[in-house]
Amino acid sequence: MRTKHVNALIALAAVMLLSFSCFCISRMTRISNQLINCRNHILEFKEKMLHLKNKTERNHQELTKALSKMKYEMTQRKNMSINLVEKKMNTLGKNETTSNTFEILKFFFPHLRKVDRIYPDVIIGKEKTGVSFALGISTVNRGNQSYLKQTLNSLVSRMTPSEEKDSVVIVSVSDRNEDYLKSVVGMITKRFKRQLRSGSLEIISIPAFFYPNISHVKESTDDSGKSESKCIKQVLDFCFLMLYAQPKAMYYLQLEDDIIAKKMYFTKITDFVHNITSKNWFYIEFSILGFIGKLFKSQDLPDFVRFFLMFYKDKPIDLLLRDIFQVKMCNPGENPEKCAERNKQIRIRYKPSLFQHVGIQSSFPGIEQYSKDIYY
């Protein structure tokens, strides 16, 4: 009996030991599988991390390239005044041919006869030629006030693409202040870079040596308060600009840096010029104010400039423009009414005016002006 109990206990212990062994083996197998799965996950994660690292490096390289390209383009835009066309008188090529229209200045100014070549100090643009219309704008520093951006935006935004292609707007910086020149160049290259690149907009700077010595001129003023020396300089500024524009286009339109244009102004000018029956007109007024909106045939510009330079010390340019008719068209002792009637046939006025004066701060320091074109 005792032996049976012992055998039973041994059998039970054996069964329990076998069961425990099976349990342990099963447990170890699951743990081993889990470890294998974990290792596989780790390897997979490591592979993904390596792939991500490579992708990150590629993205970093691409980003670096993109940033370098952006930096290069920003530098290019910043230096557009050089990259477009920037010409200095002493760096022009020996074989480069230029207009000799400025040579007439040597007849009036002896100090220019020693100069080999008279031309703008700086030209920014494409030096476009062969167009129908050149629009000239002379600009000077007005202190804290500037209307130039508003003027240019009004002019270029109201042209059709074909009109823009057949014209060139010339901004002549007529101020010896280099900071003002830089500010004009900076504003235009930023706001009107498309027009600069296409050649429909140019910036020039008048060389300081061009101006004669006018220090002896008394600083007396006329009834409007305008300084005599400033009026003299203004006449010279316009003359230089007219000579520069003369070989570029068939017609030259004189504007100022503080005006706005009507919608479709360019289309109306073109249509009016093409439909004029008389071909003997001297100039057309598209504004009654001063020297604004006066359209000339480019072939006549040298004659106008010669007259202006003969009397540039005597009167402002808008008054000289009136006098030229008296000199050229009126005979001594002639009935003034006949002369006036003949002037109407060659001095044509377009109504309503296409340009309005908006500036208050005059180009003459310390003067405010509120003149408006009543026909606008």
Side-chain angles (χ1 to χ4, degrees):
M1 189 70 179
R2 187 177 179 86
T3 302
K4 289 182 178 180
H5 286 147
V6 171
N7 291 336
L9 289 172
I10 292 172
L12 180 60
V15 171
M16 292 180 65
L17 182 61
L18 180 62
S19 299
F20 180 72
S21 298
C22 292
F23 172 78
C24 288
I25 292 172
S26 175
R27 185 69 175 174
M28 289 177 67
T29 300
R30 278 200 303 272
I31 292 173
S32 177
N33 291 335
Q34 289 177 350
L35 289 173
I36 292 172
N37 290 335
C38 183
R39 185 188 67 177
N40 291 337
H41 285 307
I42 291 173
L43 292 174
E44 184 180 355
F45 178 74
K46 185 178 180 180
E47 183 179 354
K48 288 182 178 180
M49 290 297 294
L50 182 62
H51 177 72
L52 183 61
K53 180 182 178 182
N54 294 334
K55 186 175 181 180
T56 302
E57 289 179 354
R58 288 197 301 271
N59 290 341
H60 176 72
Q61 293 175 356
E62 292 175 359
L63 181 60
T64 301
K65 290 180 181 179
L67 290 174
S68 298
K69 184 178 180 180
M70 289 175 61
K71 185 177 179 180
Y72 173 77
E73 290 178 351
M74 290 175 66
T75 303
Q76 291 294 95
R77 284 195 293 268
K78 185 177 180 180
N79 297 327
M80 184 179 291
S81 60
I82 297 175
N83 295 333
L84 287 168
V85 177
E86 182 168 341
K87 297 188 176 180
K88 301 289 184 179
M89 288 184 61
N90 58 358
T91 61
L92 289 168
K94 294 182 180 179
N95 297 325
E96 189 170 3
T97 58
T98 56
S99 170
N100 62 354
T101 53
F102 289 105
E103 290 299 308
I104 67 174
L105 297 174
K106 294 182 179 181
F107 177 81
F108 296 94
F109 304 120
H111 74 283
L112 295 178
R113 294 168 190 169
K114 299 179 181 179
V115 179
D116 292 335
R117 186 173 181 277
I118 305 171
Y119 216 58
D121 255 352
V122 177
I123 303 175
I124 302 174
K126 298 292 186 182
E127 295 192 87
K128 193 175 181 180
T129 59
V131 296
S132 295
F133 293 88
L135 289 67
I137 300 173
S138 180
T139 183
V140 295
N141 188 2
R142 299 172 186 257
N144 296 327
Q145 188 64 56
S146 176
Y147 309 96
L148 181 59
K149 181 169 69 174
Q150 180 184 9
T151 296
L152 288 176
N153 186 63
S154 173
L155 293 174
V156 302
S157 67
R158 291 172 178 176
M159 288 183 183
T160 65
S162 60
E163 291 170 346
E164 185 177 308
K165 187 176 180 180
D166 195 31
S167 64
V168 57
V169 179
I170 307 164
V171 177
S172 175
V173 181
S174 309
D175 200 294
R176 301 182 186 183
N177 186 333
E178 290 190 5
D179 290 337
Y180 182 66
L181 172 61
K182 291 178 181 177
S183 69
V184 170
V185 171
M187 182 274 290
I188 293 179
T189 53
K190 180 180 179 182
R191 300 285 184 177
F192 304 96
K193 53 180 176 289
R194 182 184 64 78
Q195 287 80 10
L196 281 175
R197 288 172 178 166
S198 69
S200 61
L201 179 60
E202 289 185 16
I203 312 169
I204 68 171
S205 173
I206 299 180
F209 69 78
F210 160 66
Y211 299 98
N213 183 9
I214 55 175
S215 59
H216 62 282
V217 177
K218 295 180 181 181
E219 286 303 310
S220 59
T221 58
D222 59 19
D223 293 338
S224 66
K226 296 179 180 178
S227 163
E228 286 187 16
S229 63
K230 298 296 182 181
C231 286
I232 289 174
K233 180 182 177 299
Q234 188 182 63
V235 175
L236 299 177
D237 293 342
F238 283 124
C239 288
F240 191 96
L241 175 55
M242 294 170 89
L243 290 177
Y244 176 77
Q246 191 269 332
K248 289 179 170 292
M250 292 178 59
Y251 304 100
Y252 174 76
L253 179 64
Q254 183 63 63
L255 300 171
E256 294 187 8
D257 63 348
D258 58 349
I259 59 97
I260 57 172
K262 275 189 174 180
K263 292 181 179 179
M264 297 183 66
Y265 78 96
F266 200 95
T267 303
K268 293 175 181 178
I269 290 176
T270 303
D271 291 344
F272 188 76
V273 171
H274 290 165
N275 292 325
I276 290 180
T277 55
S278 172
K279 301 300 180 183
N280 297 323
W281 57 272
F282 213 34
Y283 78 82
I284 304 173
E285 292 183 291
F286 291 97
S287 172
I288 64 170
L289 293 178
F291 209 44
I292 298 171
K294 306 303 186 283
L295 183 77
F296 305 89
K297 298 173 186 175
S298 292
Q299 64 186 22
D300 295 336
L301 288 178
D303 291 335
F304 280 98
V305 169
R306 289 187 184 95
F307 184 84
F308 295 152
L309 293 180
M310 288 175 64
F311 304 102
Y312 75 95
K313 295 180 182 179
D314 301 318
K315 292 182 180 181
I317 197 165
D318 53 331
L319 299 184
L320 291 177
L321 186 61
R322 298 177 187 175
D323 291 347
I324 194 172
F325 288 97
Q326 191 70 26
V327 173
K328 290 181 71 70
M329 300 300 167
C330 296
N331 300 319
E334 184 181 17
N335 187 325
E337 294 181 357
K338 289 184 178 181
C339 181
E341 187 63 30
R342 188 160 60 251
N343 281 347
K344 289 180 181 180
Q345 298 174 4
I346 61 174
R347 178 184 172 185
I348 301 172
R349 177 175 294 176
Y350 178 92
K351 293 182 181 180
S353 297
L354 298 181
F355 304 98
Q356 181 61 283
H357 180 261
V358 295
I360 296 177
Q361 179 60 51
S362 171
S363 57
F364 297 96
I367 300 176
E368 292 185 355
Q369 53 188 7
Y370 298 89
S371 56
K372 296 293 181 182
D373 192 326
I374 60 174
Y375 295 106
Y376 179 78

